[in-house]
Amino acid sequence: RAPMAKSKFEYVRDFEADDTCLPNCWVVTRLDGRNFHRFAEQHGFSKPNDDRALHLMTKCAQTVMQELEDIVMAYGQSDEYSFVFKKKSNWFKRRASKFMTHVVSQFASSYVFYWKDYFKDQPLLYPPGFDGRVVLYPSNQNLKDYLSWRQADCHINNLYNTVFWMLVQRSGLTPVQAQDRLQGTLAGDKNEILFSEFNINYNNEPLMYRKGTVLIWQKVNEVTTKRIKLPKETEEKEVEVARTRTKAVPLHCDIIGDQFWEEYPEILAD
Ligand code: ATP
Ligand code: ATP
Ligand code: MG
Ligand code: MG
Ligand code: MG
Ligand code: MG
Ligand code: MG
């Protein structure tokens, strides 16, 4: 490309703030849907958990991991996803605004791009937006605690929402009545309401709802068909070729205890 001539206007670049992320820290970018309470209502999300919406969120997060550099894992629930960049990443010289804007814009455009694959004949009524932030965590323990915090939030909200919507949908309470009924109740009380009034054992609810979604890189075997021409033959033939590819694979497991980190030590390795 043509060499850049310095103009007298160049000095304005110095007004840009330095937002380089501190070296050696985990860079976490979290995004969250803007006003998704309303978005869910307008697009007829089923309550408390719409599978289409959760799967679309995960598809977008997989796209982010595949398109961008240096993401080691992601965790999502509800209308949010967190992405963890490796400690040593030097992507865009570790500029926070680059991490944040690339993650959020890739996610948002994917949400619109893949919408129809998940929502079929439910049209997208208006363009959704997402906010983003970047937080640095200096130790592995801080990073684990961050992810534990998000998964604990998923659990608390899902337990509440599961009872709340049972009271509304099955017992015919108004939202205000259901809210009053749950005011001041502890986890044990909510489990008890679910069990005694609705015959639901909360622990048997789908893992995706209770634990959210973890995305980690895994080698997967893929079988594709290829058309090839063998040396001694004249016609092209279809053959099956197996190859291993590294993909961002969804898991719905506990990440608060040690087991997950013991099973996948490569996530925290340099
Ligand atoms: P980066 O990811 O670093 O921004 P880039 O390839 O987007 O890389 P830019 O400096 O942003 O680099 O330049 C944008 C490029 O996109 C231009 O150099 C040009 O090649 C192309 N481009 C953008 N808009 C147009 C347009 N309207 N018509 C033709 N080419 C365009
Ligand atoms: P803000 O702009 O402050 O984030 P918000 O309305 O998006 O406002 P959140 O705290 O982010 O508030 O909550 C997201 C809301 O989106 C949930 O309370 C729920 O109503 C809805 N929602 C998101 N995902 C789903 C889903 N898969 N199924 C059903 N409802 C969902
Ligand atoms: Mg440009
Ligand atoms: Mg919020
Ligand atoms: Mg939101
Ligand atoms: Mg949210
Ligand atoms: Mg550009």
Side-chain angles (χ1 to χ4, degrees):
R1 83 134 95 139
M4 256 224 281
K6 289 237 176 202
S7 73
K8 67 169 178 177
F9 308 119
E10 279 279 317
Y11 79 95
V12 297
R13 185 182 266 290
D14 297 338
F15 284 59
E16 286 184 21
D18 175 17
D19 62 347
T20 310
C21 293
L22 193 71
N24 267 320
C25 293
W26 296 105
V27 178
V28 173
T29 296
R30 181 169 79 255
L31 55 78
D32 184 285
R34 176 168 175 260
N35 203 355
F36 261 47
H37 182 78
R38 169 170 179 259
F39 186 86
E41 251 168 35
Q42 301 242 318
H43 292 86
F45 283 19
S46 50
K47 288 292 178 179
N49 289 289
D50 188 294
D51 284 341
R52 300 167 300 177
L54 292 172
H55 287 132
L56 173 58
M57 290 289 292
T58 291
K59 174 67 180 176
C60 298
Q62 288 170 311
T63 307
V64 166
M65 286 177 75
Q66 251 126 32
E67 295 294 323
L68 310 190
E69 313 270 315
D70 292 348
I71 296 171
V72 293
M73 70 173 289
Y75 173 74
Q77 52 126 337
S78 182
D79 66 340
E80 68 169 65
Y81 246 100
S82 297
F83 298 86
V84 181
F85 286 85
K86 66 180 189 201
K87 277 193 292 195
K88 297 274 160 65
S89 176
N90 199 33
W91 197 48
F92 287 104
K93 299 206 170 76
R94 291 179 78 80
R95 287 166 65 186
S97 55
K98 294 285 189 181
F99 284 122
M100 184 162 54
T101 57
H102 276 299
V103 165
V104 175
S105 68
Q106 195 72 51
F107 192 97
S109 71
S110 301
Y111 198 94
V112 174
F113 189 79
Y114 292 115
W115 172 269
K116 62 178 182 323
D117 295 351
Y118 294 84
F119 279 87
K120 310 289 176 200
D121 39 49
Q122 163 65 59
L124 181 59
L125 301 172
Y126 61 89
F130 296 83
D131 72 42
R133 74 193 71 192
V134 168
V135 187
L136 300 178
Y137 292 107
S139 71
N140 290 0
Q141 192 58 51
N142 292 152
L143 177 68
K144 289 186 202 172
D145 288 346
Y146 168 78
L147 293 162
S148 298
W149 174 52
R150 297 326 302 150
Q151 189 165 61
D153 184 83
C154 174
H155 164 73
I156 292 162
N157 289 333
N158 190 62
L159 178 58
Y160 182 95
N161 291 337
T162 304
V163 194
F164 177 90
W165 287 103
M166 276 294 146
L167 291 169
V168 172
Q169 291 163 352
R170 291 260 203 98
S171 300
L173 268 63
T174 65
V176 173
Q177 287 170 330
Q179 198 182 327
D180 288 347
R181 174 84 199 278
L182 292 174
Q183 185 79 43
T185 56
L186 305 174
D189 306 321
K190 295 187 186 76
N191 275 305
E192 184 54 30
I193 296 174
L194 281 177
F195 195 72
S196 58
E197 292 181 35
F198 305 105
N199 200 25
I200 290 173
N201 182 341
Y202 182 73
N203 291 326
N204 295 336
E205 287 292 287
L207 275 170
M208 180 168 67
Y209 303 166
R210 292 188 290 123
K211 301 292 179 194
T213 302
V214 187
L215 288 171
I216 57 168
W217 293 107
Q218 296 264 272
K219 284 203 169 69
V220 290
N221 285 317
E222 259 189 0
V223 181
T224 50
T225 54
K226 236 184 179 170
R227 297 185 64 86
I228 57 156
K229 215 181 93 187
L230 291 168
K232 287 183 182 159
E233 291 170 39
T234 47
E235 295 283 298
E236 272 195 346
K237 263 172 67 174
E238 290 223 329
V239 290
E240 294 204 323
V241 246
R243 53 174 193 166
T244 57
R245 262 171 46 111
T246 307
K247 278 193 161 177
V249 173
L251 304 175
H252 310 293
C253 61
D254 176 83
I255 53 172
I256 296 175
D258 293 332
Q259 198 194 325
F260 173 79
W261 302 102
E262 283 162 8
E263 205 168 324
Y264 304 103
E266 61 278 4
I267 297 171
L268 295 179
D270 278 347

